[in-house]
């Protein structure tokens, strides 16, 4: 089933718009004297949405910006620009829908302005009616269509999690959790399992008594398939296997019932024999609690197994985004094709061509002009790819590609036979 069919009626939980994160580079003495400043473009103008119950997988080589994107969505890092809009409260959603309805009118009456002021207070927009009046006054200077967009952008700017501070930021953190890559490093060796999983409850003041907290911790452990929970409550991390440690990390993320989870390569540090168990656990939890995930991985096979949609990143950009099977079996970005050609196939008799890309990965400090992939691309054309940066193009419904020639590349590819065989075998295998 296509993502556009399966999740078309699902509520948007995370809405990312033009997100950027630049890290300043420490300059040498002469550079500092000249006032030079350079930046690492870790994440550079990405836009996507995550809907309720959906898993969106992020793949790409090391340094492409996957983990930084996850940290921005959880506010572990602050973005340079752009917005991340986190929507979980249905009352707020209805208020925003009503605001959009009023703003779409040809003329806004004084009664409408009063209603907007009231709705602004309901969704906790700072400055109440004065903010609304200012936004309306500003937007009335242009035509109606532009007025609607200007006003809604004002609302979105204030509604972004990048603006949250203090109590509002703490409230947001209760709704968003992260599962880290290394279960050996993410657990405090001095804490028991109970102390580790109960810590979010203590921070957010959930549970009035020790017995109530112990019950919540036990329930989270059993949801993470650590049964019976009583056998694990007072163990230390060194008494657990790698898979058990990662299940404790998952229980810690689940215990406060988040609305969104970022999983940063949660199976890459585990033995191949136990990866499938952790992945199936996460899928079962998604089905049970309808929690959307951002699933970060280097492994395309794992991404396809876990994800409803896949986003391929390269040098801070999303270069291809679409339904998992659409991206895997109909890739339209040359980089995606090269990435897929490296996936192993569980059939030694099948010819599996490898697409070689030329050159080295460019520096994220001094990015190439035009398309970022053009120095390594087999299809690059001089005068186009090296001069003009392409825009995301929708080649089929829900399938977006960052390429001047998206939809025009040759359909046959060296890995087509291999991927078809992998499908017949079951799934692309995880290396």
């Amino acid at each position: 089933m296509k993502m556009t069919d399966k999740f078309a009626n699902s509520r948007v939980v995370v809405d990312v718009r033009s997100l950027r994160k630049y890290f300043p580079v420490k300059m040498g003495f002469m550079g500092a004297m000249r006032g030079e400043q350079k930046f690492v473009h870790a994440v550079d103008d990405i836009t996507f949405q995550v809907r309720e119950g959906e898993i969106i997988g992020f793949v790409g080589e090391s340094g492409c910006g996957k983990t930084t994107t996850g940290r921005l969505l959880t506010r572990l890092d602050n973005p340079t620009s752009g917005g991340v809009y986190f929507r979980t409260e249905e009352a707020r959603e209805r208020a925003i829908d009503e605001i959009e309805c009023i703003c779409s009118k040809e003329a806004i009456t004084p009664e409408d302005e009063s209603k907007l002021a009231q709705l602004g207070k309901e969704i906790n927009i700072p400055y109440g009616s004065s903010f609304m009046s200012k936004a309306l006054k500003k937007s009335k200077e242009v035509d109606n269509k532009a007025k609607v967009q200007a006003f809604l952008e004002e609302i979105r700017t204030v509604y972004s999690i990048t603006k949250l501070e203090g109590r509002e930021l703490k409230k947001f953190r209760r709704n968003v959790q992260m599962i880290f890559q290394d279960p050996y490093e993410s657990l405090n060796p001095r804490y028991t399992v109970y102390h580790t999983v109960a810590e979010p409850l203590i921070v957010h003041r959930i549970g009035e008594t020790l017995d109530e907290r112990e019950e919540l911790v036990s329930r989270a452990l059993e949801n993470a398939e650590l049964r019976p929970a009583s056998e694990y409550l007072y163990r230390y991390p060194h008494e657990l296997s790698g898979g058990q440690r990662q299940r404790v990390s998952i229980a810690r993320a689940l215990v406060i019932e988040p609305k969104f989870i970022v999983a940063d390569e949660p199976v890459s540090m585990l033995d191949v024999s136990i990866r499938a168990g952790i992945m199936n656990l996460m899928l079962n939890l998604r089905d049970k609690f309808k929690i959307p995930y951002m699933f970060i991985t280097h492994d395309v096979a794992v991404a396809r197994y876990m994800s409803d949609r896949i986003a391929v990143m390269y040098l801070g950009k999303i270069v291809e985004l679409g339904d998992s099977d659409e991206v895997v079996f109909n890739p339209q970005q040359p980089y995606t094709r090269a990435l897929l050609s490296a996936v192993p196939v569980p059939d030694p008799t099948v010819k599996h061509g490898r697409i070689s890309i030329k050159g080295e990965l460019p520096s994220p400090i001094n990015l190439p002009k035009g398309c970022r992939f053009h120095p390594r691309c087999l299809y690059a054309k001089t005068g186009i790819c090296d001069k003009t940066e392409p825009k995301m193009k929708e080649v089929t419904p829900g399938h977006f590609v960052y390429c001047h020639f998206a939809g025009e590349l040759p359909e046959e590819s060296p890995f087509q036979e291999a991927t078809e065989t992998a499908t017949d075998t079951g799934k692309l295998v995880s290396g």
Side-chain angles (χ1 to χ4, degrees):
M1 181 180 290
K2 296 286 186 183
M3 187 285 305
T4 48
D5 297 332
K6 186 175 180 181
F7 296 101
N9 297 323
S10 299
R11 184 164 52 91
V12 174
V13 176
V14 178
D15 188 359
V16 178
R17 295 171 181 263
S18 302
L19 189 64
R20 293 178 173 87
K21 179 61 180 179
Y22 301 159
F23 292 101
V25 177
K26 188 175 181 179
M27 304 299 294
F29 176 75
M30 294 304 296
M33 291 292 292
R34 290 193 294 266
E36 295 178 359
Q37 182 62 71
K38 294 184 178 181
F39 296 90
V40 175
H41 296 70
V43 175
D44 200 3
D45 192 15
I46 65 172
T47 298
F48 63 95
Q49 292 181 333
V50 187
R51 294 181 177 271
E52 188 175 49
E54 179 188 14
I55 298 178
I56 181 168
F58 274 68
V59 297
E61 54 196 314
S62 296
C64 68
K66 306 183 301 295
T67 295
T68 302
T69 301
R71 292 179 63 86
L72 293 173
L73 266 58
T74 54
R75 268 296 297 271
L76 294 179
D77 285 330
N78 292 319
T80 303
S81 65
V84 180
Y85 309 98
F86 187 66
R87 303 176 177 182
T88 59
E89 299 179 22
E90 293 184 8
R92 283 190 173 190
E93 287 300 297
R94 286 195 296 269
I96 289 179
D97 288 342
E98 196 167 348
I99 288 172
E100 291 186 2
C101 182
I102 293 173
C103 289
S104 63
K105 293 182 178 180
E106 291 293 331
I108 297 178
T109 65
E111 290 77 14
D112 290 332
E113 293 195 27
S114 299
K115 182 63 174 176
L116 287 170
Q118 178 185 346
L119 292 168
K121 291 178 181 178
E122 288 181 15
I123 61 176
N124 295 325
I125 289 184
Y127 316 121
S129 60
S130 62
F131 172 82
M132 289 291 183
S133 299
K134 180 181 177 182
L136 280 172
K137 184 177 180 180
K138 178 181 177 181
S139 63
K140 283 180 178 177
E141 297 172 359
V142 290
D143 61 43
N144 188 61
K145 183 177 180 181
K147 174 179 67 178
V148 174
Q149 295 302 318
F151 184 70
L152 295 179
E153 284 304 319
E154 291 272 2
I155 293 174
R156 292 189 185 105
T157 299
V158 177
Y159 204 54
S160 173
I161 68 167
T162 61
K163 307 293 182 181
L164 298 180
E165 299 292 342
R167 188 175 299 176
E168 286 293 320
L169 179 58
K170 185 176 180 181
K171 181 180 178 182
F172 161 75
R173 293 197 189 283
R174 176 175 175 175
N175 288 315
V176 176
Q177 289 292 295
M178 191 165 186
I179 300 170
F180 294 95
Q181 176 179 1
D182 189 353
Y184 296 89
E185 295 291 336
S186 63
L187 301 181
N188 190 326
R190 296 184 177 185
Y191 283 7
T192 63
V193 169
Y194 169 78
H195 195 169
T196 296
V197 180
E199 188 174 17
L201 299 175
I202 296 169
V203 169
H204 294 283
R205 299 181 181 181
I206 301 170
E208 297 181 358
T209 64
L210 289 175
D211 288 342
E212 187 177 347
R213 284 178 180 164
E214 186 170 321
E215 182 182 348
L216 291 171
V217 169
S218 297
R219 189 187 309 162
L221 290 174
E222 296 200 355
N223 283 331
E225 297 181 357
L226 289 173
R227 304 187 183 102
S230 57
E231 290 191 8
Y232 298 92
L233 281 175
Y234 298 103
R235 291 189 188 182
Y236 287 89
H238 71 272
E239 298 176 293
L240 304 173
S241 67
Q244 289 171 337
R245 291 186 188 195
Q246 196 63 298
R247 290 175 192 272
V248 171
S249 297
I250 292 171
R252 179 176 57 185
L254 289 174
V255 72
I256 54 176
E257 299 179 355
K259 303 297 190 298
F260 178 61
I261 291 177
V262 174
D264 185 10
E265 301 194 50
V267 297
S268 65
M269 296 289 291
L270 304 178
D271 292 339
V272 174
S273 60
I274 58 177
R275 286 185 184 182
I278 297 295
M279 291 190 291
N280 289 332
L281 167 63
M282 296 181 70
L283 290 171
N284 292 337
L285 292 172
R286 185 275 299 267
D287 295 337
K288 182 176 180 179
F289 298 109
K290 304 300 180 186
I291 302 174
Y293 293 102
M294 175 185 175
F295 191 92
I296 300 168
T297 180
H298 283 93
D299 195 327
V300 179
V302 169
R304 183 190 170 222
Y305 183 78
M306 287 293 300
S307 308
D308 301 294
R309 284 190 298 155
I310 290 177
V312 181
M313 289 194 73
Y314 181 79
L315 283 179
K317 284 276 192 183
I318 292 178
V319 296
E320 188 154 5
L321 173 65
D323 176 83
S324 295
D325 285 346
E326 181 72 13
V327 170
V328 170
F329 297 112
N330 185 30
Q332 294 296 314
Q333 226 288 342
Y335 175 69
T336 307
R337 294 187 171 191
L339 204 62
L340 287 166
S341 73
V343 177
V345 177
D347 188 347
T349 64
V350 174
K351 183 180 178 181
H352 184 47
R354 183 80 176 263
I355 297 178
S356 59
I357 50 179
K358 56 188 179 181
E360 298 293 330
L361 183 70
S363 168
I365 300 174
N366 299 308
L367 294 170
K369 293 182 180 180
C371 175
R372 298 190 179 193
F373 189 59
H374 88 264
R376 309 172 74 189
C377 182
L378 301 177
Y379 303 99
K381 292 188 178 181
T382 304
I384 299 176
C385 299
D386 59 343
K387 299 294 184 183
T388 307
E389 183 172 8
K391 296 182 179 179
M392 291 293 277
K393 183 189 298 185
E394 189 172 17
V395 292
T396 58
H399 187 182
F400 298 88
V401 182
Y402 171 86
C403 181
H404 288 293
F405 306 106
E408 302 174 16
L409 299 179
E411 292 185 6
E412 296 295 327
S413 62
F415 59 89
Q416 183 174 356
E417 181 184 356
T419 48
E420 287 175 355
T421 302
T423 308
D424 295 336
T425 306
K427 291 284 184 183
L428 294 173
V429 296
S430 172

